[in-house]
Amino acid sequence: MKKAMIIVNPSSGKEEAEKNQHRVEEVLRNKGYDVIVKMTKKQLDATKFARTSCEDAYDLVVSMGGDGTLNETVNGLANQEHCPRFGIIPTGTVNDFARALNIPLDFEEALSLIEQGDTRPVDIGKVNDQYFMNIAAVGAIAEATYEVSPKQKTMLGPLAYMLEGLKTLSSKKSYNIQLKHDQGEWEGEALLVLAALTNSVGGFEKVAPDAEVDDGKLKCLVVHDVALPKFIKIVTELLGGKHVDDENVEYISTSKLEISSSEKLHSNIDGDEGDTLPLNIEILPRHLDIYVP
């Protein structure tokens, strides 16, 4: 019999994941799967569960949670000898990866994709020894977003990230950054560096407007050290995807990227605290088979 594992973050999305897990079980059993449900209780549980699904040759893994749960699950699935097909039921605060793949945020519509059975091979990224599926970021704004608590996410949704980011604008601290990429090198003072695999970052769906989830490319965006009014203008341009033409923004398409600095800086990887710089980022092309429309 085919085997499926459902990984549930019970605190995700106002506790929607746990409430709907039985419906997912029902659909999978009707499709002929022997189903096991794994509830996350602490950090890295989803990674451990996903790794077990590879070792025990499961046919399908379904993640019910937000981007943090997805990131942990991807870290359990990446670079394994056997990798199950991957289903996503987004129940998180922002759900950037689901947005980029056009996976509906509505529970029943997302579940219907797994029921229908169409998959697509999708890129993931590797930064140092960690895997990610959406974003690696550096800068005060990026650091602020991983300070958002689960309670804030539940109460405020995507607004929680925006409010934490806005708190940093009064200091507007820039950093000396060095980049190495396919086309050469860049060095300068930057307020923010984003390396995105998908078009959607923090709920903004035009941060990397030409990003594709299976093109083997990373889109790197660097905001120069500019005055506050100019920075606000760039953020406004970002809403329409016009920031890529701004003279104070570097926009680079590359298959690999090195980010370093003379200062001790932490990274933000898929919304959580990542390694300190330097970062060595590469793409694992078309690495996971994911259920999509």
Side-chain angles (χ1 to χ4, degrees):
M1 179 179 279
K2 299 182 296 182
K3 296 190 295 183
M5 178 185 291
I6 306 171
I7 299 175
V8 181
N9 179 351
S11 65
S12 178
K14 300 179 182 178
E15 292 73 49
E16 288 298 310
E18 188 173 11
K19 186 191 304 181
N20 292 319
Q21 77 179 65
H22 300 296
R23 174 78 178 112
V24 182
E25 290 181 67
E26 177 188 21
V27 166
L28 295 183
R29 288 199 170 99
N30 287 341
K31 287 179 66 67
Y33 286 96
D34 182 22
V35 181
I36 186 171
V37 177
K38 295 287 190 179
M39 293 281 187
T40 64
K41 296 179 180 177
K42 59 184 184 301
Q43 194 173 14
L44 299 181
D45 273 355
T47 298
K48 179 180 67 176
F49 298 149
R51 185 69 48 80
T52 297
S53 78
C54 297
E55 294 168 351
D56 294 346
Y58 274 70
D59 301 281
L60 168 63
V61 167
V62 176
S63 171
M64 296 184 68
D67 289 323
T69 307
L70 267 179
N71 174 275
E72 287 196 13
T73 304
V74 165
N75 272 272
L77 298 175
N79 262 341
Q80 298 301 303
E81 186 173 337
H82 169 81
C83 185
R85 295 186 304 280
F86 191 19
I88 298 171
I89 307 289
T91 64
T93 307
V94 178
N95 304 301
D96 276 321
F97 195 51
R99 291 173 189 269
L101 290 169
N102 294 316
I103 294 172
L105 303 186
D106 177 80
F107 168 75
E108 284 292 342
E109 291 179 18
L111 180 56
S112 72
L113 298 183
I114 300 172
E115 198 168 16
Q116 292 161 19
D118 296 322
T119 62
R120 176 183 182 181
V122 171
D123 301 341
I124 64 170
K126 184 179 182 183
V127 51
N128 296 351
D129 294 322
Q130 180 181 358
Y131 300 93
F132 70 103
M133 75 289 171
N134 190 49
I135 185 80
V138 176
I141 295 173
E143 290 185 11
T145 58
Y146 58 66
E147 298 296 330
V148 177
S149 69
K151 183 177 180 180
Q152 287 174 300
K153 293 179 186 179
T154 299
M155 292 176 61
L156 300 174
L159 181 61
Y161 291 105
M162 185 177 294
L163 291 175
E164 286 297 325
L166 289 173
K167 290 179 185 177
T168 69
L169 292 183
S170 58
S171 61
K172 200 181 69 61
K173 182 171 176 55
S174 65
Y175 304 96
N176 181 260
I177 298 290
Q178 300 91 44
L179 303 177
K180 292 183 180 180
H181 51 84
D182 288 350
Q183 288 79 48
E185 300 182 10
W186 181 89
E187 181 174 358
E189 292 292 315
L191 293 172
L192 181 65
V193 179
L194 301 176
L197 279 171
T198 72
N199 64 301
S200 183
V201 177
F204 296 101
E205 297 187 12
K206 294 187 178 179
V207 171
D210 60 339
E212 298 288 343
V213 296
D214 60 356
D215 63 356
K217 296 292 184 181
L218 192 70
K219 305 298 179 179
C220 179
L221 184 150
V222 183
V223 179
H224 297 182
D225 183 14
V226 294
L228 183 58
K230 178 60 182 176
F231 181 74
I232 293 172
K233 181 175 181 290
I234 291 171
V235 173
T236 303
E237 293 171 343
L238 184 148
L239 297 175
K242 297 179 180 179
H243 58 292
V244 298
D245 298 318
D246 193 292
E247 64 181 1
N248 292 296
V249 173
E250 304 291 324
Y251 189 64
I252 303 159
S253 181
T254 182
S255 63
K256 58 184 181 297
L257 181 69
E258 293 181 26
I259 308 175
S260 58
S261 176
S262 56
E263 302 177 59
K264 185 176 181 180
L265 298 179
H266 289 276
S267 62
N268 179 317
I269 307 298
D270 283 346
D272 291 313
E273 185 172 356
D275 288 349
T276 55
L277 271 58
L279 304 180
N280 291 287
I281 306 175
E282 60 181 301
I283 307 300
L284 281 62
R286 301 166 70 87
H287 194 73
L288 297 178
D289 283 323
I290 298 180
Y291 289 91
V292 295

